[in-house]
Amino acid sequence: MSRRVVRQSKFRHVFGQPVKADQMYEDIRVSKVTCDSSFCAVNPKFVAIIVESGGGGAFIVLPLAKTGRVDKNHPLVTGHTAPVLDIDWCPHNDNVIASASEDATVMVWQIPDYVPMRNITEPVVTLEGHSKRVSIISWHPTARNVLLSAGCDNLVILWNVGTGEMLLALDDMHTDLIYNVGWNRNGSLLVTTCKDKKVRIIDPRKQQVVAERFAPHEGLRPVRAIFTREGHIFTTGFTRMSQRELGLWDPNNFEEPIALQEMDTSNGVLLPFYDADSSIVYLCGKGDSSIRYFEITDEAPYVHYLNTYSSKEPQRGMGFMPKRGLDVSKCEIARFFKLHERKCEPIVMTVPRKSDLFQDDLYPDTPGPEPALEADEWLSGKDAEPILISLRDGYVSIKNRELKVVKKNILDNKPPPGPRRSHSGCDPNVSQPALQEVLEEIRALKETVQAHEKRISDLENKLCQFTNGTD
């Protein structure tokens, strides 16, 4: 009778490899702000990195192909009046990115396909609703233009970026600082971790906590939590003896963990990056020089250690490429963008295979860029699974789609009741026709400015094409 000793898994031999030196992004002044965010966001077109900047907050956006030394005068995305704390690319538009800042605002930006000549300073929309710094942002996985933000005011807000309006505010659920927020696969539930040591599962539209667990990890350091594809909760935290620990939980039975494993002794908070297609979770600690990865299955011990990628340099942050941005011809199943003090180093995770053919078992259909719902449909109670695409022929990025923001006319709103203070230099008896005339002039000026901006943008585009042709 033969006894199988080694567990069968197609991901057992996954290995990580850094790219060659000329494929790195050099001379980037990565932000030194104290925050547990990843500082980096990646999609199939661009890599965005939060950088040091005087007089406010900024991040740099580089086309993926623009490797090597980055020009010190490369345009930045600047608009925040305080350091940027988190950035996140829209999953349904590769040219739209959101940023959160210490200035208590969230800004959404349209990034052109060409490299602009000067800093991008005008966001498409600014979202104001937090009273303290905003440290977390996350796009809805299936609904168009729905963005979540969480701040140090213990408030979670959901926005409709298409109108610039607040959809929902979850303000009475967290009693202390929110550490992280994550969506489930279809965006019907949220999981949050908080300084009050509770992990909560929240139905945002009903504005109620569906389940919660106090102290899944006994230590006082921050806890991170994400949903798995099956609806379980994967957490990272610390034991009472400050050892790092990971856990897998069933929200329907939060009392007992499905799995709980101690790892090592270190101070860095483990950031989990989850690939739902392969059920592999990658753990990257800030200040660590390694990436550990585990496979989550339905057989004991449920969370299986696969391997560790190790390097000499500690990581300041990490970006994680969506599946549609990977090179399927090389059996690449994950790509990380590791931030050093002055550079960004891509790390490729590969499954060794002899065949050059497309590997169906490694690449099941994966979420594509098309949203399954509109914001209003999701808010009314509809849910939908992500619209999947095949990677058999590789993924080709869609050309730039403009994000249109349709705001309601503020002038249509009635003035608030009650006495109003008039400024000393204003005439309270301004006639209605005179006011109308001023408004018409303002409208005409706005149209002129927009026309000039469009002309400048077109000229920049043409100039960029000419310069590209002469290289």
Side-chain angles (χ1 to χ4, degrees):
M1 177 179 167
S2 63
R3 182 163 174 261
R4 197 174 72 201
V5 177
V6 179
R7 186 181 70 88
Q8 293 294 312
S9 168
K10 54 181 172 262
F11 301 113
R12 246 181 60 217
H13 301 292
V14 171
F15 68 96
Q17 202 167 22
V19 298
K20 293 175 181 172
D22 62 346
Q23 293 176 294
M24 299 182 190
Y25 307 86
E26 305 266 3
D27 243 11
I28 298 169
R29 294 167 56 216
V30 178
S31 174
K32 293 186 173 72
V33 69
T34 308
C35 183
D36 277 331
S37 92
S38 58
F39 286 177
C40 182
V42 198
N43 71 17
K45 279 187 179 182
F46 303 103
V47 53
I49 301 164
I50 302 174
V51 293
E52 287 285 291
S53 118
F59 58 96
I60 191 170
V61 176
L62 300 167
L64 278 188
K66 195 173 177 59
T67 54
R69 191 170 296 281
V70 176
D71 187 345
K72 64 179 179 184
N73 296 318
H74 191 286
L76 304 176
V77 182
T78 60
H80 288 287
T81 56
V84 176
L85 301 178
D86 197 15
I87 48 177
D88 194 26
W89 287 104
C90 176
H92 308 127
N93 188 335
D94 286 341
N95 292 76
V96 171
I97 187 169
S99 60
S101 168
E102 270 188 24
D103 64 12
T105 66
V106 173
M107 293 182 178
V108 180
W109 309 83
Q110 181 98 26
I111 306 298
D113 283 332
Y114 60 89
V115 177
M117 296 298 181
R118 56 179 185 269
N119 287 354
I120 299 174
T121 57
E122 289 299 318
V124 180
V125 63
T126 301
L127 308 171
E128 297 174 319
H130 289 279
S131 59
K132 293 184 180 176
R133 70 181 198 159
V134 187
S135 54
I136 300 164
I137 45 173
S138 179
W139 292 89
H140 193 284
T142 61
R144 190 196 306 272
N145 291 343
V146 176
L147 178 66
L148 173 149
S149 64
C152 295
D153 48 6
N154 311 338
L155 178 64
V156 176
I157 299 178
L158 286 110
W159 307 89
N160 182 348
V161 173
T163 60
E165 293 179 314
M166 187 187 298
L167 293 176
L168 298 164
L170 312 177
D171 50 1
D172 296 324
M173 297 188 177
H174 300 90
T175 58
D176 212 329
L177 178 68
I178 300 166
Y179 285 142
N180 93 297
V181 183
W183 295 96
N184 67 346
R185 187 169 170 81
N186 67 2
S188 59
L189 295 173
L190 296 170
V191 60
T192 68
T193 60
C194 182
K195 199 174 180 181
D196 63 10
K197 298 184 76 172
K198 287 184 180 178
V199 173
R200 296 172 174 86
I201 295 173
I202 297 169
D203 185 326
R205 289 167 296 191
K206 292 181 181 173
Q207 302 199 26
Q208 66 181 39
V209 178
V210 178
E212 66 179 20
R213 171 74 160 84
F214 179 74
H217 302 281
E218 293 180 344
L220 299 174
R221 302 294 312 285
V223 172
R224 292 284 173 137
I226 54 170
F227 272 104
T228 67
R229 184 173 181 148
E230 291 74 26
H232 293 148
I233 305 295
F234 180 88
T235 60
T236 64
F238 293 80
T239 65
R240 198 174 292 165
M241 305 298 291
S242 290
Q243 278 199 304
R244 293 198 291 198
E245 190 175 47
L246 59 83
L248 188 65
W249 309 81
D250 182 353
N252 300 318
N253 180 20
F254 238 152
E255 292 308 307
E256 287 296 317
I258 299 171
L260 200 62
Q261 295 180 21
E262 287 185 10
M263 290 177 59
D264 59 2
T265 305
S266 181
N267 292 328
V269 175
L270 286 168
L271 307 179
F273 296 94
Y274 178 65
D275 175 15
D277 296 341
S278 59
S279 289
I280 294 179
V281 63
Y282 302 85
L283 302 183
C284 312
K286 271 203 166 180
D288 287 8
S289 54
S290 62
I291 302 171
R292 292 180 180 82
Y293 35 109
F294 299 79
E295 186 179 1
I296 300 173
T297 69
D298 52 6
E299 42 181 87
Y302 307 107
V303 181
H304 304 270
Y305 171 75
L306 289 173
N307 210 335
T308 300
Y309 164 81
S310 295
S311 60
K312 293 176 183 175
E313 297 288 324
Q315 54 230 17
R316 295 278 296 276
M318 195 70 79
F320 186 54
M321 175 68 79
K323 208 61 175 275
R324 56 196 170 90
L326 303 180
D327 187 347
V328 296
S329 66
K330 295 178 180 171
C331 296
E332 180 184 0
I333 62 161
R335 192 187 311 159
F336 289 91
F337 287 71
K338 173 180 171 178
L339 300 186
H340 298 249
E341 195 169 335
R342 299 280 301 189
K343 71 177 178 182
C344 173
E345 174 189 33
I347 296 164
V348 176
M349 298 286 179
T350 309
V351 176
R353 291 279 169 99
K354 289 179 181 176
S355 171
D356 291 334
L357 300 175
F358 178 74
Q359 306 293 313
D360 296 85
D361 59 328
L362 296 184
Y363 301 105
D365 289 356
T366 195
E370 287 302 317
L373 293 170
E374 296 298 326
D376 296 340
E377 292 177 311
W378 178 78
L379 190 62
S380 67
K382 270 191 179 181
D383 287 321
E385 291 297 311
I387 296 174
L388 305 181
I389 58 170
S390 170
L391 297 177
R392 177 173 288 277
D393 300 318
Y395 173 74
V396 179
S397 294
I398 298 167
K399 67 177 186 177
N400 191 351
R401 292 183 297 185
E402 190 177 348
L403 172 65
K404 290 189 172 121
V405 178
V406 183
K407 291 195 176 183
K408 292 181 180 172
N409 189 352
I410 300 168
L411 297 174
D412 290 344
N413 295 341
K414 292 180 181 175
R420 297 186 63 178
R421 292 180 299 176
S422 62
H423 296 290
S424 56
C426 296
D427 182 2
N429 301 315
V430 175
S431 65
Q432 191 65 28
L435 179 62
Q436 201 63 35
E437 192 178 334
V438 171
L439 291 173
E440 283 298 330
E441 281 185 20
I442 292 170
R443 197 172 291 122
L445 281 169
K446 276 187 176 175
E447 286 175 2
T448 307
V449 169
Q450 284 173 348
H452 283 314
E453 279 185 347
K454 186 177 186 305
R455 185 163 172 267
I456 290 166
S457 177
D458 291 342
L459 288 169
E460 280 183 348
N461 209 348
K462 284 178 184 173
L463 184 60
C464 181
Q465 287 171 357
F466 284 135
T467 52
N468 286 346
T470 56
D471 282 350

